[in-house]
Amino acid sequence: MGLIKRYESEIYGNYKKGWLLYGLYTGLIMSFSVLFRYWLTYPMDTPSTWTDNVILFLCMFVFTYLYRKKLYCGNIFFKEIYILNLGIGVVAGAIYGLFIWYYGSCIDTELVQRYIDTQEHIYINNWQGTTEDMNKQIENIKNLTTVPYLSIWGGILTVVTSFMTSFIVALLLRTQKNVVRQKK
């Protein structure tokens, strides 16, 4: 049963406070980027873009670095960074989802139609089945797509992306390796 290693590590900082503070900042930065792109006449057509994912990664990296600098001697384990960034991702996803709801309802009321058009274009170019099945799928998308749907989807995609980016940031910024617990 030596397949799963048990690690002994201690948590050095208050990562729960980091979840709220850094998650709030990350969500606001991601929301501002959506608004900034809209002002530059590049409105979003999907609830989550590559730009949002890069911003999420950069925010996690910077805020983890700042968190690590506040710790005694800068000691931090992979596990603590991963937990910190998962919390940041969940809080940022909630704030980003709420902003997308506001954005689609009040600022950019054409978001739903652009999303439907984008999905229709993807189906037309990549569909392998019959035309009748494709038309049913497009009708389903038109019937189900609303601003709340897109906002929930944007928040979920942010949280899922945070699982992957948390792992990468934890690999890059850890300062201590965990000690394997010995069997007694």
Side-chain angles (χ1 to χ4, degrees), residues 34 42-49 52 96 100 103 108 111 114:
V34 170
Y42 181 64
M44 63 191 308
D45 55 0
T46 60
S48 183
T49 63
D52 301 323
Y96 181 72
I100 295 300
Y103 173 81
D108 184 11
L111 172 63
R114 268 196 316 279

Side-chain angles (χ1 to χ4, degrees), residues 13-27 59-60 63-64 66-68 70 80-81 83-92:
N14 185 1
Y15 61 89
K16 292 179 183 177
K17 180 181 175 186
W19 288 351
L20 297 176
L21 184 65
Y22 299 140
L24 174 69
Y25 292 158
T26 302
C59 286
M60 283 182 168
F63 291 138
T64 300
L66 293 175
Y67 176 82
R68 187 178 82 178
K70 290 180 185 178
E80 186 174 1
I81 295 174
I83 291 170
L84 171 73
N85 285 318
L86 285 180
I88 289 172
V90 169
V91 173

Side-chain angles (χ1 to χ4, degrees), residues 19 29 49 67 74 76 89 92 96-97 100 105 110 114 144 156-157 168 181:
W19 288 351
I29 291 169
T49 63
Y67 176 82
I76 193 164
Y96 181 72
I100 295 300
S105 299
E110 298 170 358
R114 268 196 316 279
L144 296 175
I156 289 171
L157 288 174
I168 296 168
R181 189 182 320 158

Side-chain angles (χ1 to χ4, degrees), residues 5-9 79 177-181:
K5 292 183 179 180
R6 305 278 183 201
Y7 293 104
E8 292 179 1
S9 63
K79 178 173 75 174
K177 290 191 175 193
N178 292 334
V179 177
V180 178
R181 189 182 320 158

Side-chain angles (χ1 to χ4, degrees), residues 5 17 26 37 89 124 126 139 152-153 161 168 175 184:
K5 292 183 179 180
K17 180 181 175 186
T26 302
R37 285 179 282 160
I124 289 171
N126 299 322
E139 276 304 310
I152 291 169
W153 192 236
T161 304
I168 296 168
T175 57
K184 294 180 181 178

